[in-house]
Amino acid sequence: MELILDDEGTHTLFGNHDENLRMLEDEFSVKISSRGGEIFVTGAPDNVAPVEKLLAQMQELIEQGYPLKRSDIHTSMRVLRDRPDASLVDFFTDDAVQASVRRVVTPRNVAQKMYLQSIQDNDITFGIGPAGTGKTFLAVAAAAGALADKSVKRIVLCRPAVEAGERLGFLPGDIAEKVNPYLRPLYDSLFDIVGFEKVEKLIERSVIEIAPLAFMRGRTLNDAFIILDEAQNTTPEQMKMFLTRLGFGAKAVVTGDVTQVDLPTGAKSGLRVVRQILEGIDRIRFFDFSDRDVVRHPVVQKIVMAYDRVDKEREKQEKV
């Protein structure tokens, strides 16, 4: 296939020491080489075709001025794995994801892009799926984007203060210091997306608020982007309380993994119950991620799949 880029563009496509090409070789079991104005991909035809498509469309993106990153090659592989007929150029450049969100984060597979679109189109979106699928991170990115383009006036992030299978006992300090460890994952996402200093200033001005779920009772939140994280650890009563906090101009995202419930034995998860009650209501969307959508370290996907397999086997035995 023809190489249509100048030296700088070729370096961007190939990566340092051709690391992008080596990654494609490992993923698709092909050999890639270049000579003069051509790139040669050799291997089984079914493996060569997606690689040539990926390289051709990456070249087109670079020509359009898109700032290609190594992670975009990973993303392209995931997109073509899920949808072989997908246009990578459209995936990275279309307006389905608002520009203010694209400035802070780029979806890394088709599911993430559809999830961001769902958040944009609906008043309440439930993001349900395993760890590592980007449920909370993308919700925080969408919130940051909405704040940047003035669609909302503030961001409210909360999660239930439930211990993950441990009994921590008495925690010293004032109320903020006691609940802070439970809210740390939300801080981490904000710092990654918005930046530490800016987040600190926005928290001081109460433009960003991070609080345990119990603090939401009795409030009405207007013109706010509200995120409830770890929602599998809410009770049905807490879930109802949270959802009825929405005021005018507000948007909510609820995230959780129903396979990791840390509630006391016998207690019902509000995230499981709410689907039976609200599914089908206009402007409310339930979005499901699968283990195929995990975008952390590759071994995380294998861990999720292994646990899922054991859980399904246990469920079969219990039915017998």
Side-chain angles (χ1 to χ4, degrees):
M1 59 177 291
E2 183 182 3
L3 183 61
I4 59 176
L5 301 172
D6 58 20
D7 289 344
E8 183 178 351
T10 300
H11 181 265
T12 300
L13 178 63
F14 287 10
N16 293 327
H17 307 295
D18 294 347
E19 61 179 354
N20 292 343
L21 301 187
R22 303 292 81 82
M23 183 167 57
L24 289 170
E25 287 180 335
D26 292 342
E27 177 69 20
F28 290 96
S29 300
V30 296
K31 293 295 293 182
I32 306 174
S33 59
S34 64
R35 185 171 62 250
E38 289 189 281
I39 305 176
F40 301 94
V41 184
T42 56
D46 288 345
N47 295 345
V48 169
V51 174
E52 289 186 338
K53 176 178 179 177
L54 187 154
L55 291 171
Q57 297 202 7
M58 291 299 99
Q59 289 190 84
E60 188 175 340
L61 281 169
I62 294 168
E63 277 202 314
Q64 292 180 14
Y66 180 84
L68 190 73
K69 306 180 293 295
R70 187 172 189 269
S71 60
D72 293 331
I73 304 296
H74 278 288
T75 299
S76 299
M77 292 190 298
R78 293 190 191 99
V79 170
L80 291 181
R81 178 198 66 190
D82 294 339
R83 295 192 177 180
D85 59 342
S87 166
L88 298 175
V89 175
D90 289 347
F91 181 88
F92 286 105
T93 61
D94 75 10
D95 295 327
V97 178
Q98 64 203 80
S100 54
V101 176
R102 276 210 309 272
R103 282 199 297 272
V104 293
V105 66
T106 302
R108 298 175 66 183
N109 56 34
V110 174
Q112 288 193 349
K113 186 171 185 177
M114 293 172 63
Y115 177 56
L116 284 170
Q117 184 67 54
S118 175
I119 292 173
Q120 198 169 320
D121 293 343
N122 295 283
D123 294 328
I124 302 175
T125 298
F126 290 84
I128 303 171
T133 50
K135 305 180 299 295
T136 303
F137 188 81
L138 291 171
V140 172
L147 187 65
D149 65 17
K150 297 181 172 54
S151 299
V152 298
K153 294 180 180 178
R154 57 177 167 158
I155 298 172
V156 180
L157 311 176
C158 64
R159 60 186 288 171
V162 176
E163 298 158 354
E166 301 175 73
R167 293 293 176 265
L168 300 180
F170 172 78
L171 293 174
D174 59 24
I175 185 64
E177 291 170 327
K178 290 176 187 294
V179 301
N180 197 51
Y182 298 102
L183 306 174
R184 179 52 51 185
L186 294 174
Y187 282 104
D188 291 342
S189 295
L190 273 173
F191 293 154
D192 286 345
I193 292 167
V194 181
F196 181 83
E197 291 184 1
K198 189 172 182 180
V199 168
E200 291 291 299
K201 291 178 181 177
L202 292 172
I203 289 176
E204 286 178 11
R205 292 162 46 201
S206 297
V207 176
I208 294 178
E209 177 185 350
I210 304 178
L213 177 60
F215 287 15
M216 293 297 106
R217 188 173 295 281
R219 303 179 64 183
T220 300
L221 301 170
N222 296 313
D223 300 314
F225 197 117
I226 315 158
I227 299 173
L228 172 59
D229 189 32
E230 296 291 331
Q232 74 274 9
N233 290 327
T234 63
T235 64
E237 294 77 18
Q238 287 175 320
M239 179 65 76
K240 178 184 177 182
M241 181 271 290
F242 171 80
L243 294 174
T244 52
R245 299 308 93 204
L246 266 71
F248 293 107
K251 184 183 290 285
V253 179
V254 179
T255 67
D257 177 2
V258 292
T259 68
Q260 296 195 43
V261 177
D262 299 310
L263 293 170
T265 303
K268 291 184 178 180
S269 167
L271 188 59
R272 286 195 175 114
V273 173
V274 72
R275 187 167 207 153
Q276 303 165 15
I277 299 171
L278 299 184
E279 191 157 39
I281 294 179
D282 189 39
R283 306 288 294 178
I284 297 176
R285 168 81 189 277
F286 287 84
F287 191 95
D288 294 295
F289 290 94
S290 72
D291 50 34
R292 287 173 56 85
D293 301 317
V294 173
V295 293
R296 287 183 185 168
H297 190 290
V299 76
V300 174
Q301 185 177 45
K302 295 177 182 177
I303 291 170
V304 170
M305 293 174 69
Y307 273 95
D308 188 48
R309 187 165 55 249
V310 170
D311 288 342
K312 287 178 179 177
E313 290 175 358
R314 185 183 299 118
E315 287 175 6
K316 286 181 182 178
Q317 291 174 358
E318 289 174 353
K319 289 178 180 179
V320 174

